[in-house]
Amino acid sequence: MPLDATPAPLVDSFGRTVSYLRLSVTDRCDLRCTYCMAEKMTFLPRRDLLSLEELARLSDIFIRQGVRKLRITGGEPLVRRDVMDLFRNLSGHLRRGRLDELTLTTNGTLLARHADELADCGVQRVNVSLDTLDPERYRAITRLGDIRMVLAGLEAAQAAGLRVKLNAVASRGMFEHEVDDLIRFAHGRGMDLTLIEEMPLGDTGLDRNESVISLRALQADLANRWTLTPERRSSGGPARYVRVAETGGQLGFISPMSCNFCALCNRVRVSCTGRFYSCMGDEGSVDLRAPLRRSVAEVQSTIRQAILMKPERHRFDLSRMAEPAVSRHMSALGG
Ligand code: SAM
Ligand code: SF4
């Protein structure tokens, strides 16, 4: 069936226009970050994943429906063997002006291997997750990781001309002492840094009450040592930004728990099995894989209907961290 030639923009029932898709290409990962996964995880059988061709076709449908920004995520997207073929395919949308931005969120362990090709595909920015600069702490947080791989990835990305933003999940304890070093490290190398509040997604086997901290409180503490000036920019995204006068760099705060940002939300997510989620903080999802195997028109109308179900706001609550607010792990959708 032919594509709907002039599809209407994707607008939810609260008037928010959706222009940003986060596409997960795998639920697998080479790390097991304590806030993200349980130590022992059972991953999906590979046959359940959308094929590369299906991921590309689905992206195309979303782009025709008004998506202008596409972020590839996971699990760890770079562990999927054919992921660079997907980037190569999607780069065509950038060249034809149908997409404003193609980006990647990665843990960075395999970035050194792929940085040049990513840049060649038109990727201009990557988000790299790094919560500490201490090799032992890094190992403890990720359970499996070697920080040297990430540092090599950061260097390769910058050498390839990619802009890098570091993402760090804030946690109670050591992180509060290390955050100053992370600011100096990131800003000293021309990278932005965004701090993320831990969210109660999936059972990790650990009590999140022990680790969660409010970024409002952390920001107030940082303001005792750094000169933080709020930035005006808004990307429709969840982060609030400040400029750090001492470094000249930008510091972001993603605080879904202590500061709700849903009114500006312009994003939707698709899992690696083709399930569509209009909100990360909600259990609701619909299947796009079966429609995709039948007709484009069916995918388009399923997306339109599902967007109308986008909740007004997520269900996270700082006072209820003991139980997951949603049962899926962060790695199932990629943040
Ligand atoms: N593997 C890639 C990575 O780590 O960047 C991409 C997927 S990962 C799920 C995306 C982001 O979610 C990372 O920055 C990670 O730190 C963050 N994250 C994972 N679990 C989280 C949680 N429970 N609360 C807040 N952020 C979380
Ligand atoms: Fe893997 Fe990213 Fe989750 Fe860490 S946060 S376990 S790197 S998916």
Side-chain angles (χ1 to χ4, degrees):
M1 194 165 287
L3 287 164
D4 183 347
T6 51
L10 297 170
V11 182
D12 75 8
S13 54
F14 300 95
R16 296 170 296 192
T17 301
V18 170
S19 57
Y20 181 5
L21 171 66
R22 293 188 164 212
L23 182 61
S24 171
V25 297
T26 179
D27 65 327
R28 288 168 195 253
C29 188
D30 52 345
L31 305 180
R32 298 285 182 278
C33 302
T34 48
Y35 45 75
C36 179
M37 292 191 181
E39 190 157 14
K40 290 203 169 29
M41 292 288 289
T42 308
F43 295 111
L44 294 163
R46 287 210 168 79
R47 64 173 180 278
D48 287 359
L49 269 52
L50 293 181
S51 69
L52 182 69
E53 187 268 328
E54 287 172 323
L55 288 165
R57 207 144 45 89
L58 202 49
S59 303
D60 189 57
I61 293 171
F62 274 99
I63 290 166
R64 281 174 195 273
Q65 292 196 259
V67 160
R68 301 292 306 175
K69 178 171 172 182
L70 183 50
R71 177 175 295 281
I72 302 300
T73 181
E76 172 47 40
L78 296 182
V79 303
R80 181 159 171 165
R81 233 173 273 145
D82 53 5
V83 73
M84 293 315 298
D85 296 336
L86 180 64
F87 275 102
R88 189 62 61 199
N89 179 305
L90 295 174
S91 69
H93 294 291
L94 287 174
R95 278 199 309 278
R96 289 191 287 278
R98 299 174 65 212
L99 197 59
D100 295 332
E101 199 177 24
L102 175 62
T103 55
L104 166 74
T105 300
T106 174
N107 63 28
T109 60
L110 300 172
L111 190 53
R113 198 182 296 170
H114 298 296
D116 284 337
E117 199 177 351
L118 286 166
D120 200 42
C121 287
V123 174
Q124 295 185 344
R125 299 190 304 144
V126 290
N127 287 4
V128 179
S129 302
L130 184 63
D131 308 320
T132 177
L133 297 170
D134 180 302
E136 280 172 30
R137 274 251 310 145
Y138 182 79
R139 181 77 171 190
I141 293 169
T142 62
R143 295 192 178 107
L144 296 169
D146 177 348
I147 198 170
R148 289 172 300 182
M149 312 267 289
V150 187
L151 298 178
L154 293 176
E155 219 167 278
Q158 290 198 301
L162 299 172
R163 274 185 288 139
V164 177
K165 177 160 77 79
L166 293 186
N167 281 340
V169 175
S171 57
R172 194 180 306 164
M174 275 312 289
F175 183 85
E176 295 162 273
H177 302 292
E178 292 178 319
V179 61
D180 288 359
D181 287 341
L182 269 176
I183 293 172
R184 278 186 212 102
F185 175 85
H187 292 177
R189 286 162 180 75
M191 303 184 247
D192 289 337
L193 171 67
T194 293
L195 309 182
I196 308 176
E197 221 162 45
E198 183 170 345
M199 295 171 238
L201 288 159
D203 187 359
T204 57
L206 301 173
D207 183 353
R208 292 192 195 269
N209 283 313
E210 300 290 317
S211 49
V212 72
I213 51 171
S214 151
L215 283 189
R216 267 185 195 281
L218 186 63
Q219 185 173 349
D221 185 50
L222 285 170
N224 293 324
R225 301 186 296 282
W226 302 91
T227 314
L228 309 178
T229 312
E231 295 268 275
R232 283 184 175 229
R233 87 172 211 189
S234 168
S235 59
R240 290 172 289 118
Y241 293 96
V242 298
R243 182 71 52 187
V244 182
E246 289 79 357
T247 62
Q250 188 168 261
L251 182 62
F253 296 86
I254 299 185
S255 24
M257 313 295 300
S258 62
C259 182
N260 192 273
F261 46 67
C262 301
L264 297 175
C265 184
N266 64 351
R267 59 195 62 194
V268 292
R269 297 167 169 84
V270 172
S271 76
C272 57
T273 58
R275 288 206 76 83
F276 173 88
Y277 292 80
S278 61
C279 173
M280 184 174 66
D282 191 83
E283 295 282 7
S285 69
V286 296
D287 178 43
L288 296 180
R289 184 172 55 181
L292 188 64
R293 291 176 182 174
R294 289 194 292 266
S295 85
V296 170
E298 196 181 326
V299 182
Q300 289 177 323
S301 75
T302 309
I303 294 171
R304 279 219 189 87
Q305 283 164 29
I307 289 218
L308 291 177
M309 305 300 287
K310 187 171 164 69
E312 187 173 13
R313 52 159 298 162
H314 65 65
R315 308 208 235 132
F316 302 141
D317 181 344
L318 254 185
S319 65
R320 286 198 225 134
M321 290 297 282
E323 296 293 320
V326 291
S327 56
R328 100 187 86 81
H329 289 94
M330 187 68 132
S331 54
L333 267 191

